[in-house]
Amino acid sequence: MRIKQIIKHLMLLFYYFIRMNEYRFNRFSYKDIHKGKKAMIMGNGPSLRDVLNKYKSGKINITHDSFFVNFSPLDDSFYDIKPNHYFISDFGWCQDFPGATERVRAVYDKLQTKVDWPLKIYINIGLHKYCKQIVSYSRITNPNIEFIFLNRKYCNRLCDS
């Protein structure tokens, strides 16, 4: 019985070893591209409203290298600033979600129709299949938009998968 367990464990080890290339450890082409640059991460809620009001009045400058999240594309400032980065990290963005479905759909529709600059949408969801669900659910075909799947184990462009 002990030999069977050893063989089973060796086969599993071999299986995980040959699949290791899928994880692409330490391969993130964007790793150093922003080194030395400053960027703002634009959150949600009243704090975002305050920052956008300061931007509109000229009190602060928000660069293209800033990161926007969640429902920020619903604000017209998103299309004035034309950020290069947009971040999604919630399962509610890949399925009908009570109370948020209309707003999520509105974000995807605006991104599809109004983005006329290069925009990277980073998706930080644990499993690749959920990332693909977000891309599919979004129905975004805008050629200016690139989806990038992020994971703690690996980072990879979806179009390379």
Side-chain angles (χ1 to χ4, degrees), residues 49-80:
R49 176 65 39 218
D50 292 344
V51 169
L52 292 177
N53 287 336
K54 288 178 183 175
Y55 167 77
K56 290 173 187 175
S57 66
K59 293 180 182 175
I60 63 170
N61 183 32
I62 302 173
T63 69
H64 300 295
D65 286 324
S66 296
F67 286 76
F68 282 73
V69 300
N70 299 334
F71 295 106
S72 54
L74 294 178
D75 190 285
D76 290 334
S77 297
F78 184 88
Y79 304 95
D80 294 335

PDB file of all heavy atoms in Angstrom, residues 49-80:
ATOM      1  N   ARG A  49     -15.379  61.724  -5.555  1.00  0.00           N
ATOM      2  CA  ARG A  49     -16.115  62.921  -5.973  1.00  0.00           C
ATOM      3  C   ARG A  49     -15.317  64.170  -5.625  1.00  0.00           C
ATOM      4  O   ARG A  49     -15.192  65.086  -6.424  1.00  0.00           O
ATOM      5  CB  ARG A  49     -17.496  62.937  -5.290  1.00  0.00           C
ATOM      6  CG  ARG A  49     -18.336  64.152  -5.542  1.00  0.00           C
ATOM      7  CD  ARG A  49     -18.803  64.386  -6.966  1.00  0.00           C
ATOM      8  NE  ARG A  49     -19.187  63.183  -7.644  1.00  0.00           N
ATOM      9  CZ  ARG A  49     -18.940  62.949  -8.937  1.00  0.00           C
ATOM     10  NH1 ARG A  49     -18.337  63.839  -9.671  1.00  0.00           N
ATOM     11  NH2 ARG A  49     -19.308  61.830  -9.508  1.00  0.00           N
ATOM     12  N   ASP A  50     -14.738  64.229  -4.401  1.00  0.00           N
ATOM     13  CA  ASP A  50     -13.936  65.387  -3.991  1.00  0.00           C
ATOM     14  C   ASP A  50     -12.716  65.565  -4.891  1.00  0.00           C
ATOM     15  O   ASP A  50     -12.405  66.674  -5.312  1.00  0.00           O
ATOM     16  CB  ASP A  50     -13.490  65.247  -2.536  1.00  0.00           C
ATOM     17  CG  ASP A  50     -14.640  65.344  -1.538  1.00  0.00           C
ATOM     18  OD1 ASP A  50     -15.732  65.825  -1.926  1.00  0.00           O
ATOM     19  OD2 ASP A  50     -14.443  64.932  -0.384  1.00  0.00           O
ATOM     20  N   VAL A  51     -12.027  64.468  -5.186  1.00  0.00           N
ATOM     21  CA  VAL A  51     -10.835  64.534  -6.035  1.00  0.00           C
ATOM     22  C   VAL A  51     -11.210  64.991  -7.444  1.00  0.00           C
ATOM     23  O   VAL A  51     -10.533  65.838  -8.036  1.00  0.00           O
ATOM     24  CB  VAL A  51     -10.105  63.166  -6.073  1.00  0.00           C
ATOM     25  CG1 VAL A  51      -9.023  63.142  -7.143  1.00  0.00           C
ATOM     26  CG2 VAL A  51      -9.503  62.850  -4.726  1.00  0.00           C
ATOM     27  N   LEU A  52     -12.288  64.453  -7.990  1.00  0.00           N
ATOM     28  CA  LEU A  52     -12.704  64.845  -9.341  1.00  0.00           C
ATOM     29  C   LEU A  52     -13.149  66.309  -9.395  1.00  0.00           C
ATOM     30  O   LEU A  52     -12.894  67.002 -10.382  1.00  0.00           O
ATOM     31  CB  LEU A  52     -13.799  63.915  -9.854  1.00  0.00           C
ATOM     32  CG  LEU A  52     -13.351  62.475 -10.125  1.00  0.00           C
ATOM     33  CD1 LEU A  52     -14.533  61.617 -10.573  1.00  0.00           C
ATOM     34  CD2 LEU A  52     -12.230  62.409 -11.134  1.00  0.00           C
ATOM     35  N   ASN A  53     -13.772  66.800  -8.330  1.00  0.00           N
ATOM     36  CA  ASN A  53     -14.134  68.223  -8.273  1.00  0.00           C
ATOM     37  C   ASN A  53     -12.888  69.095  -8.249  1.00  0.00           C
ATOM     38  O   ASN A  53     -12.840  70.145  -8.902  1.00  0.00           O
ATOM     39  CB  ASN A  53     -15.035  68.517  -7.069  1.00  0.00           C
ATOM     40  CG  ASN A  53     -16.442  67.995  -7.266  1.00  0.00           C
ATOM     41  OD1 ASN A  53     -16.897  67.812  -8.399  1.00  0.00           O
ATOM     42  ND2 ASN A  53     -17.139  67.738  -6.163  1.00  0.00           N
ATOM     43  N   LYS A  54     -11.864  68.660  -7.498  1.00  0.00           N
ATOM     44  CA  LYS A  54     -10.593  69.412  -7.468  1.00  0.00           C
ATOM     45  C   LYS A  54      -9.927  69.372  -8.840  1.00  0.00           C
ATOM     46  O   LYS A  54      -9.318  70.350  -9.272  1.00  0.00           O
ATOM     47  CB  LYS A  54      -9.668  68.847  -6.396  1.00  0.00           C
ATOM     48  CG  LYS A  54     -10.113  69.163  -4.991  1.00  0.00           C
ATOM     49  CD  LYS A  54      -9.186  68.537  -3.960  1.00  0.00           C
ATOM     50  CE  LYS A  54      -9.704  68.797  -2.550  1.00  0.00           C
ATOM     51  NZ  LYS A  54      -8.889  68.110  -1.533  1.00  0.00           N
ATOM     52  N   TYR A  55     -10.038  68.236  -9.515  1.00  0.00           N
ATOM     53  CA  TYR A  55      -9.475  68.121 -10.877  1.00  0.00           C
ATOM     54  C   TYR A  55     -10.189  69.087 -11.829  1.00  0.00           C
ATOM     55  O   TYR A  55      -9.547  69.815 -12.592  1.00  0.00           O
ATOM     56  CB  TYR A  55      -9.596  66.682 -11.379  1.00  0.00           C
ATOM     57  CG  TYR A  55      -9.341  66.543 -12.861  1.00  0.00           C
ATOM     58  CD1 TYR A  55      -8.048  66.567 -13.363  1.00  0.00           C
ATOM     59  CD2 TYR A  55     -10.402  66.407 -13.755  1.00  0.00           C
ATOM     60  CE1 TYR A  55      -7.809  66.460 -14.730  1.00  0.00           C
ATOM     61  CE2 TYR A  55     -10.175  66.293 -15.114  1.00  0.00           C
ATOM     62  CZ  TYR A  55      -8.876  66.316 -15.597  1.00  0.00           C
ATOM     63  OH  TYR A  55      -8.648  66.213 -16.942  1.00  0.00           O
ATOM     64  N   LYS A  56     -11.503  69.100 -11.774  1.00  0.00           N
ATOM     65  CA  LYS A  56     -12.290  69.959 -12.663  1.00  0.00           C
ATOM     66  C   LYS A  56     -12.012  71.443 -12.415  1.00  0.00           C
ATOM     67  O   LYS A  56     -12.055  72.248 -13.346  1.00  0.00           O
ATOM     68  CB  LYS A  56     -13.786  69.670 -12.491  1.00  0.00           C
ATOM     69  CG  LYS A  56     -14.204  68.325 -13.031  1.00  0.00           C
ATOM     70  CD  LYS A  56     -15.657  68.012 -12.700  1.00  0.00           C
ATOM     71  CE  LYS A  56     -16.011  66.598 -13.102  1.00  0.00           C
ATOM     72  NZ  LYS A  56     -17.367  66.210 -12.696  1.00  0.00           N
ATOM     73  N   SER A  57     -11.716  71.801 -11.159  1.00  0.00           N
ATOM     74  CA  SER A  57     -11.437  73.204 -10.844  1.00  0.00           C
ATOM     75  C   SER A  57      -9.962  73.559 -11.047  1.00  0.00           C
ATOM     76  O   SER A  57      -9.573  74.696 -10.829  1.00  0.00           O
ATOM     77  CB  SER A  57     -11.869  73.519  -9.407  1.00  0.00           C
ATOM     78  OG  SER A  57     -11.067  72.808  -8.489  1.00  0.00           O
ATOM     79  N   GLY A  58      -9.143  72.572 -11.454  1.00  0.00           N
ATOM     80  CA  GLY A  58      -7.730  72.836 -11.738  1.00  0.00           C
ATOM     81  C   GLY A  58      -6.825  72.821 -10.519  1.00  0.00           C
ATOM     82  O   GLY A  58      -5.650  73.174 -10.609  1.00  0.00           O
ATOM     83  N   LYS A  59      -7.336  72.376  -9.369  1.00  0.00           N
ATOM     84  CA  LYS A  59      -6.524  72.350  -8.144  1.00  0.00           C
ATOM     85  C   LYS A  59      -5.528  71.199  -8.118  1.00  0.00           C
ATOM     86  O   LYS A  59      -4.496  71.287  -7.471  1.00  0.00           O
ATOM     87  CB  LYS A  59      -7.431  72.288  -6.915  1.00  0.00           C
ATOM     88  CG  LYS A  59      -8.241  73.546  -6.703  1.00  0.00           C
ATOM     89  CD  LYS A  59      -9.118  73.438  -5.478  1.00  0.00           C
ATOM     90  CE  LYS A  59      -9.959  74.697  -5.313  1.00  0.00           C
ATOM     91  NZ  LYS A  59     -10.900  74.580  -4.192  1.00  0.00           N
ATOM     92  N   ILE A  60      -5.863  70.107  -8.790  1.00  0.00           N
ATOM     93  CA  ILE A  60      -4.936  68.969  -8.872  1.00  0.00           C
ATOM     94  C   ILE A  60      -4.869  68.477 -10.315  1.00  0.00           C
ATOM     95  O   ILE A  60      -5.763  68.741 -11.116  1.00  0.00           O
ATOM     96  CB  ILE A  60      -5.338  67.795  -7.939  1.00  0.00           C
ATOM     97  CG1 ILE A  60      -6.698  67.227  -8.341  1.00  0.00           C
ATOM     98  CG2 ILE A  60      -5.313  68.198  -6.491  1.00  0.00           C
ATOM     99  CD1 ILE A  60      -7.035  65.931  -7.638  1.00  0.00           C
ATOM    100  N   ASN A  61      -3.782  67.779 -10.607  1.00  0.00           N
ATOM    101  CA  ASN A  61      -3.601  67.204 -11.939  1.00  0.00           C
ATOM    102  C   ASN A  61      -3.667  65.680 -11.816  1.00  0.00           C
ATOM    103  O   ASN A  61      -2.998  65.098 -10.959  1.00  0.00           O
ATOM    104  CB  ASN A  61      -2.253  67.632 -12.515  1.00  0.00           C
ATOM    105  CG  ASN A  61      -2.056  67.111 -13.926  1.00  0.00           C
ATOM    106  OD1 ASN A  61      -3.018  66.966 -14.687  1.00  0.00           O
ATOM    107  ND2 ASN A  61      -0.825  66.831 -14.274  1.00  0.00           N
ATOM    108  N   ILE A  62      -4.464  65.067 -12.634  1.00  0.00           N
ATOM    109  CA  ILE A  62      -4.550  63.605 -12.672  1.00  0.00           C
ATOM    110  C   ILE A  62      -4.006  63.173 -14.026  1.00  0.00           C
ATOM    111  O   ILE A  62      -4.506  63.597 -15.061  1.00  0.00           O
ATOM    112  CB  ILE A  62      -6.001  63.117 -12.489  1.00  0.00           C
ATOM    113  CG1 ILE A  62      -6.572  63.620 -11.161  1.00  0.00           C
ATOM    114  CG2 ILE A  62      -6.051  61.594 -12.545  1.00  0.00           C
ATOM    115  CD1 ILE A  62      -8.053  63.328 -10.968  1.00  0.00           C
ATOM    116  N   THR A  63      -2.967  62.335 -14.003  1.00  0.00           N
ATOM    117  CA  THR A  63      -2.308  61.946 -15.255  1.00  0.00           C
ATOM    118  C   THR A  63      -2.945  60.713 -15.870  1.00  0.00           C
ATOM    119  O   THR A  63      -3.716  59.999 -15.222  1.00  0.00           O
ATOM    120  CB  THR A  63      -0.815  61.664 -15.020  1.00  0.00           C
ATOM    121  OG1 THR A  63      -0.698  60.468 -14.229  1.00  0.00           O
ATOM    122  CG2 THR A  63      -0.131  62.816 -14.310  1.00  0.00           C
ATOM    123  N   HIS A  64      -2.559  60.436 -17.106  1.00  0.00           N
ATOM    124  CA  HIS A  64      -3.039  59.248 -17.818  1.00  0.00           C
ATOM    125  C   HIS A  64      -2.584  57.962 -17.137  1.00  0.00           C
ATOM    126  O   HIS A  64      -3.190  56.914 -17.325  1.00  0.00           O
ATOM    127  CB  HIS A  64      -2.528  59.233 -19.260  1.00  0.00           C
ATOM    128  CG  HIS A  64      -2.971  60.412 -20.060  1.00  0.00           C
ATOM    129  ND1 HIS A  64      -4.290  60.647 -20.361  1.00  0.00           N
ATOM    130  CD2 HIS A  64      -2.271  61.431 -20.609  1.00  0.00           C
ATOM    131  CE1 HIS A  64      -4.393  61.746 -21.068  1.00  0.00           C
ATOM    132  NE2 HIS A  64      -3.177  62.252 -21.232  1.00  0.00           N
ATOM    133  N   ASP A  65      -1.498  58.034 -16.366  1.00  0.00           N
ATOM    134  CA  ASP A  65      -0.964  56.840 -15.708  1.00  0.00           C
ATOM    135  C   ASP A  65      -1.704  56.473 -14.433  1.00  0.00           C
ATOM    136  O   ASP A  65      -1.331  55.535 -13.749  1.00  0.00           O
ATOM    137  CB  ASP A  65       0.528  57.015 -15.402  1.00  0.00           C
ATOM    138  CG  ASP A  65       1.377  56.913 -16.653  1.00  0.00           C
ATOM    139  OD1 ASP A  65       1.034  56.103 -17.541  1.00  0.00           O
ATOM    140  OD2 ASP A  65       2.373  57.648 -16.748  1.00  0.00           O
ATOM    141  N   SER A  66      -2.748  57.205 -14.109  1.00  0.00           N
ATOM    142  CA  SER A  66      -3.515  56.904 -12.910  1.00  0.00           C
ATOM    143  C   SER A  66      -4.394  55.672 -13.130  1.00  0.00           C
ATOM    144  O   SER A  66      -4.725  55.321 -14.254  1.00  0.00           O
ATOM    145  CB  SER A  66      -4.386  58.103 -12.538  1.00  0.00           C
ATOM    146  OG  SER A  66      -3.566  59.199 -12.211  1.00  0.00           O
ATOM    147  N   PHE A  67      -4.742  55.033 -12.035  1.00  0.00           N
ATOM    148  CA  PHE A  67      -5.580  53.834 -12.059  1.00  0.00           C
ATOM    149  C   PHE A  67      -6.981  54.196 -11.579  1.00  0.00           C
ATOM    150  O   PHE A  67      -7.144  54.798 -10.524  1.00  0.00           O
ATOM    151  CB  PHE A  67      -5.009  52.750 -11.131  1.00  0.00           C
ATOM    152  CG  PHE A  67      -3.785  52.082 -11.670  1.00  0.00           C
ATOM    153  CD1 PHE A  67      -2.555  52.718 -11.635  1.00  0.00           C
ATOM    154  CD2 PHE A  67      -3.867  50.811 -12.220  1.00  0.00           C
ATOM    155  CE1 PHE A  67      -1.431  52.100 -12.131  1.00  0.00           C
ATOM    156  CE2 PHE A  67      -2.746  50.184 -12.715  1.00  0.00           C
ATOM    157  CZ  PHE A  67      -1.520  50.831 -12.671  1.00  0.00           C
ATOM    158  N   PHE A  68      -7.964  53.813 -12.352  1.00  0.00           N
ATOM    159  CA  PHE A  68      -9.355  54.001 -11.965  1.00  0.00           C
ATOM    160  C   PHE A  68      -9.954  52.641 -11.658  1.00  0.00           C
ATOM    161  O   PHE A  68      -9.510  51.624 -12.199  1.00  0.00           O
ATOM    162  CB  PHE A  68     -10.127  54.690 -13.090  1.00  0.00           C
ATOM    163  CG  PHE A  68      -9.876  56.166 -13.163  1.00  0.00           C
ATOM    164  CD1 PHE A  68      -8.676  56.659 -13.628  1.00  0.00           C
ATOM    165  CD2 PHE A  68     -10.844  57.060 -12.748  1.00  0.00           C
ATOM    166  CE1 PHE A  68      -8.433  58.018 -13.691  1.00  0.00           C
ATOM    167  CE2 PHE A  68     -10.625  58.420 -12.808  1.00  0.00           C
ATOM    168  CZ  PHE A  68      -9.411  58.904 -13.281  1.00  0.00           C
ATOM    169  N   VAL A  69     -10.974  52.605 -10.806  1.00  0.00           N
ATOM    170  CA  VAL A  69     -11.575  51.334 -10.406  1.00  0.00           C
ATOM    171  C   VAL A  69     -13.097  51.421 -10.468  1.00  0.00           C
ATOM    172  O   VAL A  69     -13.681  52.503 -10.522  1.00  0.00           O
ATOM    173  CB  VAL A  69     -11.147  50.912  -8.981  1.00  0.00           C
ATOM    174  CG1 VAL A  69      -9.639  50.753  -8.880  1.00  0.00           C
ATOM    175  CG2 VAL A  69     -11.633  51.887  -7.941  1.00  0.00           C
ATOM    176  N   ASN A  70     -13.702  50.254 -10.459  1.00  0.00           N
ATOM    177  CA  ASN A  70     -15.140  50.063 -10.317  1.00  0.00           C
ATOM    178  C   ASN A  70     -15.996  50.968 -11.191  1.00  0.00           C
ATOM    179  O   ASN A  70     -15.919  50.889 -12.402  1.00  0.00           O
ATOM    180  CB  ASN A  70     -15.527  50.154  -8.842  1.00  0.00           C
ATOM    181  CG  ASN A  70     -14.853  49.081  -8.010  1.00  0.00           C
ATOM    182  OD1 ASN A  70     -14.502  48.027  -8.511  1.00  0.00           O
ATOM    183  ND2 ASN A  70     -14.647  49.348  -6.749  1.00  0.00           N
ATOM    184  N   PHE A  71     -16.809  51.824 -10.611  1.00  0.00           N
ATOM    185  CA  PHE A  71     -17.794  52.590 -11.371  1.00  0.00           C
ATOM    186  C   PHE A  71     -17.290  53.948 -11.854  1.00  0.00           C
ATOM    187  O   PHE A  71     -18.067  54.752 -12.360  1.00  0.00           O
ATOM    188  CB  PHE A  71     -19.069  52.759 -10.535  1.00  0.00           C
ATOM    189  CG  PHE A  71     -19.762  51.461 -10.258  1.00  0.00           C
ATOM    190  CD1 PHE A  71     -19.715  50.893  -9.006  1.00  0.00           C
ATOM    191  CD2 PHE A  71     -20.439  50.788 -11.271  1.00  0.00           C
ATOM    192  CE1 PHE A  71     -20.347  49.677  -8.749  1.00  0.00           C
ATOM    193  CE2 PHE A  71     -21.069  49.582 -11.026  1.00  0.00           C
ATOM    194  CZ  PHE A  71     -21.023  49.023  -9.766  1.00  0.00           C
ATOM    195  N   SER A  72     -16.000  54.200 -11.744  1.00  0.00           N
ATOM    196  CA  SER A  72     -15.469  55.506 -12.158  1.00  0.00           C
ATOM    197  C   SER A  72     -15.729  55.839 -13.630  1.00  0.00           C
ATOM    198  O   SER A  72     -15.860  57.023 -13.952  1.00  0.00           O
ATOM    199  CB  SER A  72     -13.985  55.613 -11.821  1.00  0.00           C
ATOM    200  OG  SER A  72     -13.260  54.546 -12.353  1.00  0.00           O
ATOM    201  N   PRO A  73     -15.847  54.880 -14.561  1.00  0.00           N
ATOM    202  CA  PRO A  73     -16.168  55.257 -15.942  1.00  0.00           C
ATOM    203  C   PRO A  73     -17.558  55.860 -16.123  1.00  0.00           C
ATOM    204  O   PRO A  73     -17.868  56.366 -17.198  1.00  0.00           O
ATOM    205  CB  PRO A  73     -16.058  53.930 -16.712  1.00  0.00           C
ATOM    206  CG  PRO A  73     -15.111  53.120 -15.916  1.00  0.00           C
ATOM    207  CD  PRO A  73     -15.431  53.479 -14.487  1.00  0.00           C
ATOM    208  N   LEU A  74     -18.384  55.835 -15.099  1.00  0.00           N
ATOM    209  CA  LEU A  74     -19.695  56.463 -15.201  1.00  0.00           C
ATOM    210  C   LEU A  74     -19.610  57.988 -15.058  1.00  0.00           C
ATOM    211  O   LEU A  74     -20.555  58.691 -15.375  1.00  0.00           O
ATOM    212  CB  LEU A  74     -20.659  55.882 -14.153  1.00  0.00           C
ATOM    213  CG  LEU A  74     -21.020  54.412 -14.334  1.00  0.00           C
ATOM    214  CD1 LEU A  74     -21.934  53.941 -13.211  1.00  0.00           C
ATOM    215  CD2 LEU A  74     -21.664  54.171 -15.692  1.00  0.00           C
ATOM    216  N   ASP A  75     -18.468  58.483 -14.585  1.00  0.00           N
ATOM    217  CA  ASP A  75     -18.264  59.921 -14.454  1.00  0.00           C
ATOM    218  C   ASP A  75     -17.583  60.452 -15.715  1.00  0.00           C
ATOM    219  O   ASP A  75     -16.653  59.836 -16.232  1.00  0.00           O
ATOM    220  CB  ASP A  75     -17.393  60.216 -13.222  1.00  0.00           C
ATOM    221  CG  ASP A  75     -17.358  61.686 -12.901  1.00  0.00           C
ATOM    222  OD1 ASP A  75     -16.663  62.433 -13.628  1.00  0.00           O
ATOM    223  OD2 ASP A  75     -18.015  62.098 -11.935  1.00  0.00           O
ATOM    224  N   ASP A  76     -18.034  61.602 -16.199  1.00  0.00           N
ATOM    225  CA  ASP A  76     -17.478  62.183 -17.428  1.00  0.00           C
ATOM    226  C   ASP A  76     -15.993  62.524 -17.300  1.00  0.00           C
ATOM    227  O   ASP A  76     -15.280  62.586 -18.305  1.00  0.00           O
ATOM    228  CB  ASP A  76     -18.267  63.422 -17.837  1.00  0.00           C
ATOM    229  CG  ASP A  76     -19.664  63.065 -18.331  1.00  0.00           C
ATOM    230  OD1 ASP A  76     -19.856  61.924 -18.822  1.00  0.00           O
ATOM    231  OD2 ASP A  76     -20.566  63.918 -18.228  1.00  0.00           O
ATOM    232  N   SER A  77     -15.498  62.736 -16.087  1.00  0.00           N
ATOM    233  CA  SER A  77     -14.077  63.041 -15.895  1.00  0.00           C
ATOM    234  C   SER A  77     -13.184  61.901 -16.393  1.00  0.00           C
ATOM    235  O   SER A  77     -12.061  62.136 -16.829  1.00  0.00           O
ATOM    236  CB  SER A  77     -13.781  63.304 -14.416  1.00  0.00           C
ATOM    237  OG  SER A  77     -14.480  64.423 -13.975  1.00  0.00           O
ATOM    238  N   PHE A  78     -13.689  60.688 -16.316  1.00  0.00           N
ATOM    239  CA  PHE A  78     -12.931  59.530 -16.801  1.00  0.00           C
ATOM    240  C   PHE A  78     -12.556  59.733 -18.272  1.00  0.00           C
ATOM    241  O   PHE A  78     -11.450  59.424 -18.689  1.00  0.00           O
ATOM    242  CB  PHE A  78     -13.783  58.262 -16.627  1.00  0.00           C
ATOM    243  CG  PHE A  78     -13.090  56.981 -17.008  1.00  0.00           C
ATOM    244  CD1 PHE A  78     -12.342  56.290 -16.079  1.00  0.00           C
ATOM    245  CD2 PHE A  78     -13.207  56.457 -18.286  1.00  0.00           C
ATOM    246  CE1 PHE A  78     -11.715  55.085 -16.412  1.00  0.00           C
ATOM    247  CE2 PHE A  78     -12.597  55.263 -18.629  1.00  0.00           C
ATOM    248  CZ  PHE A  78     -11.846  54.579 -17.691  1.00  0.00           C
ATOM    249  N   TYR A  79     -13.458  60.302 -19.042  1.00  0.00           N
ATOM    250  CA  TYR A  79     -13.242  60.482 -20.479  1.00  0.00           C
ATOM    251  C   TYR A  79     -12.488  61.774 -20.790  1.00  0.00           C
ATOM    252  O   TYR A  79     -11.952  61.917 -21.881  1.00  0.00           O
ATOM    253  CB  TYR A  79     -14.593  60.408 -21.209  1.00  0.00           C
ATOM    254  CG  TYR A  79     -15.266  59.102 -20.862  1.00  0.00           C
ATOM    255  CD1 TYR A  79     -16.190  59.029 -19.839  1.00  0.00           C
ATOM    256  CD2 TYR A  79     -14.886  57.924 -21.498  1.00  0.00           C
ATOM    257  CE1 TYR A  79     -16.755  57.819 -19.466  1.00  0.00           C
ATOM    258  CE2 TYR A  79     -15.448  56.712 -21.129  1.00  0.00           C
ATOM    259  CZ  TYR A  79     -16.372  56.665 -20.116  1.00  0.00           C
ATOM    260  OH  TYR A  79     -16.905  55.456 -19.746  1.00  0.00           O
ATOM    261  N   ASP A  80     -12.406  62.693 -19.815  1.00  0.00           N
ATOM    262  CA  ASP A  80     -11.545  63.865 -19.950  1.00  0.00           C
ATOM    263  C   ASP A  80     -10.101  63.503 -19.630  1.00  0.00           C
ATOM    264  O   ASP A  80      -9.173  63.921 -20.314  1.00  0.00           O
ATOM    265  CB  ASP A  80     -11.995  64.989 -19.000  1.00  0.00           C
ATOM    266  CG  ASP A  80     -13.361  65.544 -19.362  1.00  0.00           C
ATOM    267  OD1 ASP A  80     -13.745  65.439 -20.551  1.00  0.00           O
ATOM    268  OD2 ASP A  80     -14.042  66.068 -18.464  1.00  0.00           O
TER     269      ASP A  80
END
